[in-house]
Amino acid sequence: MENLFINPKREQWNDIIKRPALDYALLERIVQPILEEVKTNGDAAIQKYSAQFDGVQLQDFKVTAAEIKNAVIAVDEELKQAIGLAIKNITTFHTAHTDALVKIETTPGVMCWRKPVAIESVGLYIPGGTAPLFSTLLMLAIPAQIAGCKNIIVCTPSDKNGDVHPAILFTTNILGIKNIYKIGGAQAIAAMAYGTESVPRVYKIFGPGNQYVTCAKQLVSRQGIAIDMPAGPSEVAVYADDT
């Protein structure tokens, strides 16, 4: 729903900028059964909820090499170059923040140091549909690779035909990520948190999503699965003239 305000009166400002209130108790009552069913029934539950919420009938969740090949062809050259430039810049930035191991003798004979150790398996949730955030994939996957994470799992929703947005698949391809699953929503978070017949379990889940995804991340974090943070909502202001 969109509303247009032109020079609103000051007494309207508080109501205009007020965020929508979410009933978190209701959200949890909706999301918790999804998590429990995926934990119990695995792939069958994912198929059920993908059909129910996304309107897509999926037999296989993992993106195939043929799908990636077609996606690479579908992305136009200008976008490919832009993604390549983004990869270069993000890699340069995060590589500069890798610390060399420095040992300090705090007391004679006592050596102390700080050593970062990569998380072995991480899950990245990448929104698709009307907002295919391949930029989020870049910002999450590149630091994970630089850190040395061995297993990177990507979950992203498909459209009603079972196709993932080409820009997302092009990005996974150029980054060398092989484990991409066309699963969205709370069921994707559950799949990465608990593991299923098709989707490996991970140790930490990253990435933004809608209110159901955010709620799912918060719920699984109470069970010992690490998450990055509850993301959103996003607020954007654009200032532009006729040029």
Side-chain angles (χ1 to χ4, degrees):
M1 180 180 178
E2 296 181 1
N3 295 301
L4 177 64
F5 300 97
I6 301 176
N7 296 326
K9 296 179 180 179
R10 179 177 284 273
E11 53 266 28
Q12 292 180 273
W13 290 3
N14 286 338
D15 288 333
I16 290 172
I17 65 174
K18 188 181 297 181
R19 284 181 168 180
L22 295 177
D23 185 341
Y24 286 102
L26 175 61
L27 263 180
E28 290 187 5
R29 289 197 297 271
I30 294 171
V31 172
Q32 187 64 53
I34 298 172
L35 301 181
E36 292 173 356
E37 188 165 352
V38 172
K39 186 176 183 179
T40 302
N41 297 324
D43 286 355
I46 294 176
Q47 289 173 326
K48 169 187 170 181
Y49 289 117
S50 295
Q52 180 178 336
F53 298 131
D54 300 328
V56 57
Q57 300 286 342
L58 296 174
Q59 298 303 317
D60 297 308
F61 306 124
K62 191 170 184 179
V63 173
T64 65
E67 288 175 298
I68 294 173
K69 183 178 179 180
N70 291 336
V72 171
I73 296 171
V75 176
D76 67 68
E77 194 59 36
E78 185 177 5
L79 181 54
K80 288 178 180 178
Q81 291 179 6
I83 291 173
L85 177 61
I87 291 172
K88 175 181 176 294
N89 291 338
I90 296 167
T91 301
T92 300
F93 177 82
H94 286 286
T95 301
H97 289 79
T98 54
D99 296 327
L101 187 65
V102 178
K103 294 188 177 183
I104 300 171
E105 189 172 16
T106 56
T107 304
V110 178
M111 304 299 295
C112 297
W113 61 91
R114 180 179 61 191
K115 180 182 179 181
V117 178
I119 302 170
E120 185 175 1
S121 296
V122 295
L124 312 183
Y125 183 86
I126 310 300
T130 57
L133 296 185
F134 58 89
S135 56
T136 297
L137 178 59
L138 292 170
M139 295 300 295
L140 294 177
I142 293 173
Q145 291 177 325
I146 292 172
C149 299
K150 293 181 180 178
N151 303 311
I152 299 176
I153 307 300
V154 171
C155 279
T156 186
S158 70
D159 61 19
K160 296 186 186 304
N161 297 318
D163 298 321
V164 174
H165 194 280
I168 291 177
L169 293 187
F170 171 78
T171 303
T172 59
N173 181 66
I174 200 170
L175 293 176
I177 297 172
K178 305 297 183 185
N179 295 315
I180 312 117
Y181 300 89
K182 48 180 84 173
I183 310 170
Q187 61 269 27
I189 302 303
M192 292 188 285
Y194 308 127
T196 73
E197 300 92 327
S198 298
V199 184
R201 178 179 178 271
V202 303
Y203 299 135
K204 188 167 184 176
I205 299 172
F206 298 81
N210 62 20
Q211 57 189 344
Y212 301 102
V213 168
T214 300
C215 181
K217 287 174 63 180
Q218 291 175 300
L219 288 173
V220 299
S221 72
R222 297 178 192 172
Q223 301 169 26
I225 294 94
I227 65 169
D228 48 358
M229 63 180 181
S234 299
E235 296 174 345
V236 179
V238 177
Y239 292 86
D241 60 16
D242 57 1
T243 64

